[in-house]
Coordinates of all heavy atoms in Angstrom, one line a residue:
M4 N -121.2 -65.5 54.3 CA -121.6 -65.2 53.0 C -122.7 -66.1 52.5 O -123.6 -65.6 51.8 CB -120.3 -65.5 52.1 CG -120.5 -65.1 50.7 SD -120.6 -63.3 50.5 CE -120.4 -63.1 48.8
D5 N -122.8 -67.4 52.9 CA -123.9 -68.2 52.4 C -125.2 -67.8 53.0 O -126.2 -67.9 52.4 CB -123.6 -69.7 52.9 CG -122.5 -70.3 52.1 OD1 -122.3 -69.9 51.0 OD2 -121.9 -71.3 52.6
T6 N -125.2 -67.2 54.2 CA -126.4 -66.7 54.8 C -127.0 -65.5 54.0 O -128.2 -65.4 53.8 CB -126.2 -66.3 56.3 OG1 -125.6 -67.4 57.0 CG2 -127.4 -65.8 56.9
E7 N -126.1 -64.7 53.6 CA -126.5 -63.5 52.8 C -127.1 -64.0 51.5 O -128.2 -63.5 51.1 CB -125.3 -62.6 52.5 CG -125.6 -61.3 51.8 CD -124.4 -60.4 51.6 OE1 -123.5 -60.4 52.4 OE2 -124.4 -59.7 50.5
V8 N -126.5 -64.9 50.8 CA -127.1 -65.4 49.6 C -128.4 -66.1 49.8 O -129.4 -65.9 49.0 CB -126.1 -66.4 48.9 CG1 -126.7 -67.2 47.7 CG2 -124.8 -65.7 48.5
S9 N -128.5 -66.8 50.9 CA -129.8 -67.5 51.2 C -130.9 -66.4 51.5 O -132.0 -66.6 51.0 CB -129.6 -68.3 52.5 OG -130.8 -68.9 52.9
N10 N -130.6 -65.3 52.1 CA -131.6 -64.3 52.4 C -132.0 -63.6 51.0 O -133.1 -63.3 50.9 CB -131.0 -63.2 53.3 CG -130.9 -63.7 54.7 OD1 -131.6 -64.7 55.1 ND2 -130.1 -63.1 55.5
Q11 N -131.1 -63.5 50.1 CA -131.4 -62.9 48.8 C -132.3 -63.8 48.0 O -133.3 -63.4 47.4 CB -130.1 -62.6 48.0 CG -129.4 -61.4 48.6 CD -128.1 -61.2 47.9 OE1 -127.6 -62.0 47.1 NE2 -127.4 -60.1 48.2
I12 N -132.1 -65.1 48.1 CA -132.9 -66.1 47.4 C -134.4 -66.1 48.0 O -135.3 -66.0 47.3 CB -132.3 -67.5 47.5 CG1 -131.1 -67.6 46.7 CG2 -133.3 -68.5 47.0 CD1 -130.3 -68.8 46.8
T13 N -134.5 -66.0 49.3 CA -135.8 -65.9 49.9 C -136.5 -64.6 49.5 O -137.7 -64.7 49.2 CB -135.6 -65.9 51.4 OG1 -135.0 -67.1 51.8 CG2 -137.0 -65.9 52.1
L14 N -135.8 -63.5 49.4 CA -136.4 -62.3 49.0 C -136.9 -62.4 47.6 O -138.0 -62.0 47.3 CB -135.4 -61.1 49.1 CG -135.8 -59.8 48.6 CD1 -137.0 -59.3 49.5 CD2 -134.7 -58.8 48.7
V15 N -136.2 -63.0 46.7 CA -136.6 -63.2 45.3 C -137.9 -64.1 45.3 O -138.8 -63.8 44.5 CB -135.5 -63.8 44.4 CG1 -136.0 -64.2 43.1 CG2 -134.4 -62.8 44.2
E16 N -137.9 -65.1 46.1 CA -139.1 -66.0 46.1 C -140.3 -65.2 46.6 O -141.4 -65.4 46.1 CB -138.8 -67.2 47.0 CG -137.9 -68.2 46.5 CD -137.5 -69.3 47.4 OE1 -137.9 -69.2 48.6 OE2 -136.9 -70.2 47.0
D17 N -140.1 -64.3 47.6 CA -141.2 -63.5 48.1 C -141.8 -62.6 47.1 O -143.0 -62.4 46.9 CB -140.8 -62.7 49.4 CG -140.5 -63.6 50.6 OD1 -141.0 -64.8 50.6 OD2 -139.9 -63.1 51.5
V18 N -140.9 -61.9 46.4 CA -141.3 -61.0 45.3 C -142.0 -61.7 44.2 O -143.1 -61.3 43.7 CB -140.0 -60.2 44.7 CG1 -140.4 -59.5 43.5 CG2 -139.4 -59.3 45.8
L19 N -141.5 -62.9 43.8 CA -142.2 -63.7 42.8 C -143.6 -64.1 43.2 O -144.6 -64.1 42.5 CB -141.4 -64.9 42.4 CG -140.2 -64.6 41.5 CD1 -139.3 -65.8 41.3 CD2 -140.6 -64.0 40.1
A20 N -143.7 -64.5 44.5 CA -145.0 -64.9 45.0 C -146.0 -63.7 45.0 O -147.2 -63.9 44.6 CB -144.9 -65.4 46.4
K21 N -145.5 -62.5 45.3 CA -146.4 -61.4 45.3 C -146.8 -61.0 43.9 O -148.0 -60.7 43.6 CB -145.7 -60.2 45.9 CG -145.6 -60.2 47.4 CD -144.9 -59.0 48.0 CE -144.7 -59.1 49.4 NZ -143.9 -58.0 50.0
L22 N -145.9 -61.1 42.9 CA -146.2 -60.8 41.5 C -147.1 -61.8 40.8 O -147.8 -61.5 39.9 CB -144.9 -60.5 40.7 CG -144.1 -59.3 41.1 CD1 -142.8 -59.2 40.4 CD2 -145.0 -58.0 40.9
C23 N -147.0 -63.1 41.3 CA -147.8 -64.2 40.7 C -149.2 -64.3 41.3 O -149.9 -65.2 40.8 CB -147.0 -65.5 40.8 SG -145.5 -65.5 39.8
K24 N -149.4 -63.6 42.4 CA -150.7 -63.7 43.0 C -151.8 -63.2 42.1 O -151.7 -62.2 41.4 CB -150.7 -62.8 44.3 CG -151.9 -63.0 45.2 CD -151.8 -62.3 46.5 CE -153.0 -62.4 47.3 NZ -152.9 -61.7 48.6
T25 N -152.9 -64.0 42.0 CA -154.0 -63.7 41.1 C -155.3 -63.3 41.7 O -156.2 -62.8 41.1 CB -154.2 -64.8 40.1 OG1 -154.5 -66.0 40.8 CG2 -153.0 -65.0 39.2
I26 N -155.4 -63.7 43.0 CA -156.7 -63.4 43.7 C -156.4 -62.5 44.9 O -155.5 -62.7 45.7 CB -157.3 -64.7 44.2 CG1 -157.6 -65.7 43.1 CG2 -158.6 -64.5 45.0 CD1 -158.7 -65.2 42.1
Y27 N -157.2 -61.5 45.0 CA -157.1 -60.5 46.1 C -158.4 -60.3 46.8 O -159.5 -60.4 46.2 CB -156.6 -59.1 45.6 CG -155.1 -59.2 45.1 CD1 -154.8 -59.6 43.8 CD2 -154.1 -58.9 46.0 CE1 -153.5 -59.6 43.4 CE2 -152.8 -58.9 45.6 CZ -152.5 -59.3 44.3 OH -151.2 -59.3 43.8
L28 N -158.4 -59.9 48.1 CA -159.6 -59.5 48.8 C -160.1 -58.2 48.3 O -159.3 -57.4 47.8 CB -159.3 -59.4 50.3 CG -158.9 -60.7 51.0 CD1 -158.5 -60.4 52.4 CD2 -160.0 -61.7 50.9
L29 N -161.4 -58.0 48.3 CA -162.0 -56.7 47.9 C -161.3 -55.5 48.6 O -161.0 -54.5 48.0 CB -163.5 -56.7 48.2 CG -164.2 -55.5 47.8 CD1 -164.1 -55.1 46.3 CD2 -165.7 -55.6 48.2
A30 N -161.1 -55.7 49.9 CA -160.5 -54.6 50.7 C -159.1 -54.2 50.2 O -158.7 -53.1 50.1 CB -160.4 -55.0 52.1
D31 N -158.3 -55.2 49.7 CA -157.0 -55.0 49.2 C -157.0 -54.2 47.9 O -156.2 -53.4 47.6 CB -156.2 -56.3 48.9 CG -155.9 -57.1 50.1 OD1 -155.9 -56.5 51.2 OD2 -155.7 -58.3 50.0
L32 N -158.1 -54.4 47.1 CA -158.2 -53.7 45.8 C -158.8 -52.3 45.9 O -158.7 -51.5 45.1 CB -159.0 -54.6 44.8 CG -158.4 -55.9 44.4 CD1 -159.3 -56.7 43.5 CD2 -157.0 -55.7 43.8
L33 N -159.5 -52.1 47.0 CA -160.1 -50.8 47.3 C -159.1 -49.9 48.0 O -159.2 -48.6 47.9 CB -161.4 -50.9 48.2 CG -162.5 -51.6 47.5 CD1 -163.7 -51.7 48.5 CD2 -163.0 -50.9 46.3
A34 N -158.0 -50.4 48.6 CA -157.0 -49.6 49.2 C -156.0 -49.1 48.2 O -155.8 -49.6 47.1 CB -156.3 -50.5 50.2
R35 N -155.4 -48.0 48.5 CA -154.4 -47.4 47.7 C -153.1 -47.2 48.5 O -153.2 -46.8 49.7 CB -154.8 -46.0 47.1 CG -156.1 -46.1 46.2 CD -155.8 -46.9 45.0 NE -156.9 -47.0 44.0 CZ -157.7 -48.0 43.9 NH1 -157.7 -49.0 44.8 NH2 -158.7 -48.0 43.1
P36 N -152.0 -47.4 48.0 CA -151.7 -47.9 46.6 C -152.1 -49.3 46.4 O -152.2 -50.1 47.4 CB -150.2 -47.7 46.5 CG -149.7 -47.8 47.9 CD -150.7 -47.3 48.8
L37 N -152.3 -49.7 45.2 CA -152.7 -51.1 44.8 C -151.5 -52.0 45.0 O -150.3 -51.5 44.9 CB -153.2 -51.1 43.4 CG -154.5 -50.5 43.1 CD1 -154.7 -50.4 41.6 CD2 -155.6 -51.3 43.7
P38 N -151.7 -53.3 45.2 CA -150.6 -54.2 45.3 C -149.8 -54.2 43.9 O -150.4 -53.9 42.9 CB -151.3 -55.6 45.5 CG -152.6 -55.2 46.1 CD -153.0 -53.9 45.5
E39 N -148.6 -54.5 44.0 CA -147.7 -54.5 42.8 C -148.2 -55.5 41.8 O -148.7 -56.6 42.1 CB -146.3 -54.8 43.1 CG -145.6 -53.7 43.8 CD -144.1 -54.0 44.0 OE1 -143.5 -54.5 43.1 OE2 -143.6 -53.8 45.1
G40 N -148.2 -55.1 40.5 CA -148.5 -56.1 39.4 C -150.0 -56.1 39.1 O -150.4 -56.8 38.2
I41 N -150.8 -55.2 39.7 CA -152.2 -55.2 39.5 C -152.5 -54.2 38.3 O -152.0 -53.1 38.3 CB -153.0 -54.7 40.7 CG1 -152.8 -55.7 41.9 CG2 -154.4 -54.4 40.5 CD1 -153.5 -57.0 41.6
D42 N -153.4 -54.6 37.4 CA -153.9 -53.7 36.3 C -155.0 -52.9 36.9 O -156.1 -53.5 37.2 CB -154.3 -54.6 35.1 CG -154.8 -53.7 34.0 OD1 -154.9 -52.5 34.1 OD2 -155.1 -54.3 32.9
P43 N -154.8 -51.6 37.1 CA -155.9 -50.8 37.8 C -157.2 -50.7 36.9 O -158.2 -50.3 37.5 CB -155.2 -49.4 38.0 CG -154.1 -49.4 37.0 CD -153.7 -50.8 36.8
L44 N -157.1 -51.0 35.7 CA -158.3 -50.9 34.8 C -159.1 -52.2 34.8 O -160.2 -52.3 34.3 CB -157.9 -50.6 33.4 CG -157.2 -49.2 33.2 CD1 -156.8 -49.0 31.7 CD2 -158.1 -48.1 33.7
K45 N -158.6 -53.3 35.4 CA -159.2 -54.6 35.4 C -159.3 -55.2 36.8 O -159.0 -56.3 37.0 CB -158.5 -55.5 34.5 CG -158.4 -55.1 33.1 CD -159.6 -55.5 32.4 CE -159.5 -55.3 30.9 NZ -160.7 -55.5 30.2
L46 N -159.6 -54.4 37.8 CA -159.6 -54.8 39.2 C -160.5 -56.0 39.5 O -160.3 -56.8 40.3 CB -159.9 -53.7 40.2 CG -158.9 -52.5 40.2 CD1 -159.3 -51.4 41.2 CD2 -157.5 -53.0 40.6
E47 N -161.6 -56.0 38.7 CA -162.6 -57.0 38.9 C -162.1 -58.5 38.7 O -162.6 -59.4 39.2 CB -163.9 -56.8 38.1 CG -163.7 -57.0 36.6 CD -163.1 -55.8 35.9 OE1 -162.6 -54.9 36.5 OE2 -163.0 -55.9 34.6
I48 N -161.1 -58.6 37.8 CA -160.6 -59.9 37.5 C -159.8 -60.6 38.6 O -159.6 -61.8 38.6 CB -159.7 -60.0 36.2 CG1 -158.4 -59.2 36.4 CG2 -160.5 -59.4 35.0 CD1 -157.5 -59.3 35.2
Y49 N -159.4 -59.8 39.6 CA -158.6 -60.3 40.7 C -159.4 -60.7 41.9 O -158.9 -61.2 42.9 CB -157.6 -59.2 41.2 CG -156.6 -58.8 40.1 CD1 -156.8 -57.6 39.4 CD2 -155.6 -59.6 39.7 CE1 -156.0 -57.2 38.4 CE2 -154.7 -59.2 38.7 CZ -154.9 -58.0 38.1 OH -154.1 -57.6 37.0
L50 N -160.7 -60.4 41.9 CA -161.6 -60.7 43.0 C -162.0 -62.2 43.0 O -162.1 -62.9 42.0 CB -162.9 -59.9 42.9 CG -162.8 -58.4 43.0 CD1 -164.1 -57.7 42.7 CD2 -162.4 -58.1 44.5
T51 N -162.3 -62.7 44.2 CA -162.9 -64.0 44.4 C -164.3 -63.9 43.8 O -164.9 -62.8 43.7 CB -162.9 -64.5 45.8 OG1 -163.8 -63.6 46.6 CG2 -161.6 -64.5 46.5
D52 N -164.9 -65.0 43.5 CA -166.3 -65.0 43.0 C -167.2 -64.4 44.0 O -168.1 -63.6 43.7 CB -166.8 -66.4 42.7 CG -166.1 -67.0 41.4 OD1 -165.6 -66.1 40.6 OD2 -166.1 -68.2 41.2
E53 N -167.0 -64.7 45.3 CA -167.9 -64.1 46.4 C -167.7 -62.6 46.5 O -168.7 -61.9 46.5 CB -167.5 -64.8 47.7 CG -167.9 -66.2 47.8 CD -166.8 -67.1 47.2 OE1 -165.6 -66.7 47.0 OE2 -167.1 -68.3 46.8
D54 N -166.5 -62.1 46.5 CA -166.3 -60.7 46.5 C -166.8 -60.0 45.3 O -167.3 -58.9 45.3 CB -164.8 -60.3 46.7 CG -164.3 -60.5 48.2 OD1 -165.2 -60.5 49.0 OD2 -163.1 -60.5 48.4
F55 N -166.6 -60.7 44.1 CA -167.1 -60.1 42.8 C -168.6 -59.9 42.9 O -169.1 -58.8 42.6 CB -166.8 -61.1 41.7 CG -167.2 -60.5 40.3 CD1 -166.2 -59.9 39.6 CD2 -168.4 -60.7 39.8 CE1 -166.5 -59.4 38.3 CE2 -168.8 -60.2 38.6 CZ -167.8 -59.5 37.8
E56 N -169.4 -60.9 43.4 CA -170.8 -60.8 43.5 C -171.2 -59.8 44.5 O -172.2 -59.1 44.4 CB -171.4 -62.2 43.7 CG -171.3 -63.1 42.5 CD -171.9 -64.5 42.7 OE1 -172.8 -64.6 43.6 OE2 -171.5 -65.4 42.0
F57 N -170.5 -59.7 45.6 CA -170.8 -58.7 46.7 C -170.6 -57.3 46.2 O -171.4 -56.4 46.3 CB -169.9 -59.0 47.9 CG -170.1 -58.0 49.0 CD1 -171.2 -58.0 49.8 CD2 -169.2 -56.9 49.1 CE1 -171.4 -57.1 50.8 CE2 -169.4 -56.0 50.1 CZ -170.4 -56.0 51.0
A58 N -169.5 -57.1 45.5 CA -169.1 -55.7 45.0 C -170.0 -55.2 43.8 O -170.4 -54.1 43.8 CB -167.7 -55.6 44.6
L59 N -170.3 -56.1 42.9 CA -171.0 -55.7 41.7 C -172.4 -56.2 41.6 O -173.1 -55.9 40.7 CB -170.2 -56.2 40.5 CG -168.8 -55.7 40.3 CD1 -168.0 -56.4 39.3 CD2 -168.8 -54.2 40.1
D60 N -172.8 -57.0 42.6 CA -174.2 -57.4 42.8 C -174.7 -58.3 41.6 O -175.8 -58.2 41.1 CB -175.1 -56.2 43.0 CG -176.5 -56.6 43.6 OD1 -176.5 -57.6 44.4 OD2 -177.5 -56.0 43.4
M61 N -173.8 -59.0 41.0 CA -174.1 -59.9 39.9 C -173.0 -60.9 39.7 O -171.9 -60.7 40.2 CB -174.4 -59.2 38.6 CG -173.2 -58.4 38.0 SD -173.6 -57.6 36.5 CE -174.9 -56.5 37.0
T62 N -173.3 -62.0 39.0 CA -172.2 -63.0 38.7 C -171.3 -62.5 37.6 O -171.6 -61.6 36.9 CB -172.9 -64.3 38.3 OG1 -173.5 -64.1 37.0 CG2 -173.8 -64.9 39.3
R63 N -170.2 -63.2 37.5 CA -169.2 -62.8 36.4 C -169.9 -63.0 35.0 O -169.6 -62.2 34.1 CB -168.0 -63.7 36.5 CG -167.1 -63.3 37.7 CD -165.8 -64.2 37.7 NE -165.1 -64.1 38.9 CZ -164.2 -63.1 39.2 NH1 -163.9 -62.2 38.3 NH2 -163.6 -63.1 40.4
K64 N -170.7 -64.1 34.9 CA -171.3 -64.3 33.6 C -172.3 -63.2 33.2 O -172.3 -62.7 32.1 CB -172.1 -65.7 33.7 CG -172.7 -66.1 32.4 CD -173.3 -67.5 32.5 CE -174.0 -67.9 31.2 NZ -174.6 -69.2 31.3
E65 N -173.1 -62.7 34.2 CA -174.0 -61.6 34.0 C -173.2 -60.3 33.7 O -173.6 -59.6 32.7 CB -174.8 -61.4 35.2 CG -175.8 -62.5 35.5 CD -176.5 -62.3 36.9 OE1 -175.8 -61.8 37.8 OE2 -177.6 -62.8 37.0
Y66 N -172.1 -60.1 34.4 CA -171.3 -58.9 34.2 C -170.7 -59.0 32.8 O -170.7 -57.9 32.0 CB -170.2 -58.9 35.2 CG -169.2 -57.8 35.1 CD1 -169.4 -56.5 35.5 CD2 -167.9 -58.0 34.5 CE1 -168.5 -55.5 35.3 CE2 -167.0 -57.0 34.3 CZ -167.3 -55.7 34.7 OH -166.4 -54.8 34.6
N67 N -170.1 -60.1 32.4 CA -169.5 -60.2 31.0 C -170.5 -60.0 29.9 O -170.1 -59.7 28.8 CB -168.7 -61.5 30.9 CG -167.5 -61.5 31.8 OD1 -166.9 -60.5 32.1 ND2 -167.1 -62.7 32.3
A68 N -171.7 -60.3 30.1 CA -172.8 -60.1 29.1 C -173.2 -58.6 28.9 O -173.8 -58.3 27.9 CB -174.0 -60.9 29.4
L69 N -172.8 -57.8 29.8 CA -173.1 -56.4 29.7 C -172.2 -55.6 28.7 O -171.1 -56.0 28.5 CB -172.9 -55.7 31.1 CG -173.9 -56.1 32.2 CD1 -173.4 -55.4 33.5 CD2 -175.3 -55.8 31.9
P70 N -172.7 -54.6 28.1 CA -171.9 -53.7 27.3 C -170.8 -53.1 28.1 O -170.9 -52.9 29.3 CB -172.8 -52.6 26.7 CG -174.2 -53.0 27.1 CD -174.1 -54.1 28.2
S71 N -169.6 -52.8 27.5 CA -168.5 -52.3 28.3 C -168.8 -51.0 29.0 O -168.3 -50.8 30.1 CB -167.3 -52.1 27.4 OG -167.6 -51.2 26.3
W72 N -169.6 -50.1 28.5 CA -169.9 -48.9 29.2 C -170.7 -49.2 30.5 O -170.5 -48.5 31.5 CB -170.7 -47.9 28.3 CG -172.1 -48.3 27.9 CD1 -172.4 -49.0 26.8 CD2 -173.3 -48.1 28.6 NE1 -173.8 -49.2 26.8 CE2 -174.4 -48.6 27.9 CE3 -173.6 -47.4 29.8 CZ2 -175.7 -48.6 28.3 CZ3 -174.9 -47.3 30.2 CH2 -176.0 -47.9 29.4
K73 N -171.5 -50.2 30.5 CA -172.3 -50.5 31.7 C -171.3 -51.2 32.7 O -171.4 -51.0 33.9 CB -173.4 -51.5 31.4 CG -174.6 -50.8 30.9 CD -175.8 -51.8 30.8 CE -177.0 -51.1 30.3 NZ -178.2 -52.0 30.3
Q74 N -170.3 -52.0 32.2 CA -169.3 -52.5 33.1 C -168.5 -51.4 33.8 O -168.3 -51.5 35.0 CB -168.4 -53.5 32.3 CG -169.1 -54.7 31.8 CD -168.1 -55.6 31.0 OE1 -167.0 -55.2 30.8 NE2 -168.6 -56.7 30.5
V75 N -168.1 -50.4 33.0 CA -167.4 -49.3 33.6 C -168.2 -48.6 34.7 O -167.7 -48.3 35.7 CB -166.9 -48.4 32.5 CG1 -166.3 -47.1 33.0 CG2 -165.9 -49.0 31.6
N76 N -169.5 -48.3 34.4 CA -170.3 -47.6 35.4 C -170.4 -48.5 36.6 O -170.4 -47.9 37.7 CB -171.7 -47.3 34.7 CG -171.6 -46.2 33.8 OD1 -170.6 -45.4 33.7 ND2 -172.6 -46.1 32.9
L77 N -170.6 -49.8 36.5 CA -170.7 -50.6 37.7 C -169.4 -50.6 38.5 O -169.4 -50.5 39.7 CB -171.0 -52.1 37.3 CG -172.5 -52.4 37.0 CD1 -172.6 -53.8 36.4 CD2 -173.3 -52.2 38.2
K78 N -168.3 -50.7 37.8 CA -167.0 -50.6 38.5 C -166.8 -49.3 39.2 O -166.3 -49.3 40.3 CB -165.8 -50.9 37.5 CG -165.8 -52.3 37.0 CD -164.5 -52.7 36.3 CE -164.2 -51.8 35.1 NZ -163.0 -52.2 34.4
K79 N -167.2 -48.2 38.6 CA -167.1 -46.9 39.2 C -167.9 -46.8 40.5 O -167.5 -46.4 41.5 CB -167.5 -45.8 38.3 CG -166.5 -45.5 37.2 CD -167.0 -44.4 36.3 CE -166.0 -44.1 35.2 NZ -166.5 -43.0 34.3
T80 N -169.2 -47.4 40.4 CA -170.0 -47.4 41.6 C -169.5 -48.2 42.7 O -169.6 -47.8 43.9 CB -171.4 -47.9 41.2 OG1 -172.0 -47.1 40.1 CG2 -172.4 -47.9 42.4
A81 N -168.8 -49.3 42.4 CA -168.2 -50.2 43.4 C -166.9 -49.7 43.9 O -166.3 -50.3 44.8 CB -168.1 -51.6 42.8
G82 N -166.3 -48.7 43.3 CA -165.0 -48.2 43.6 C -163.9 -49.0 43.1 O -162.7 -49.0 43.5
L83 N -164.1 -49.7 42.0 CA -163.1 -50.6 41.3 C -162.6 -50.0 40.0 O -162.2 -50.7 39.1 CB -163.7 -52.0 41.1 CG -164.1 -52.8 42.3 CD1 -164.9 -54.1 41.9 CD2 -162.8 -53.2 43.0
F84 N -162.6 -48.7 39.9 CA -162.1 -48.1 38.7 C -161.3 -46.9 39.0 O -161.6 -46.1 39.9 CB -163.3 -47.6 37.8 CG -163.0 -47.3 36.4 CD1 -162.7 -48.3 35.5 CD2 -162.8 -46.0 36.0 CE1 -162.4 -48.0 34.2 CE2 -162.5 -45.7 34.7 CZ -162.3 -46.7 33.8

């Protein structure tokens, strides 16, 4: 019985780790289905800085300075929308 309880606790820890993850590889965000807990409208926030610059060809600061319609167009071009 204790082994079964221990396995359930480990499972809960694994699920929490997956849901609390905040950084993903570009390949993970381009694949479907998306990982659990990901906001499909804000995929760019989960990228590393390097993947962000690779995918969108600009820094986060430059991206955030753009009007929202330009941000959406860039995300569509990069496959992040």
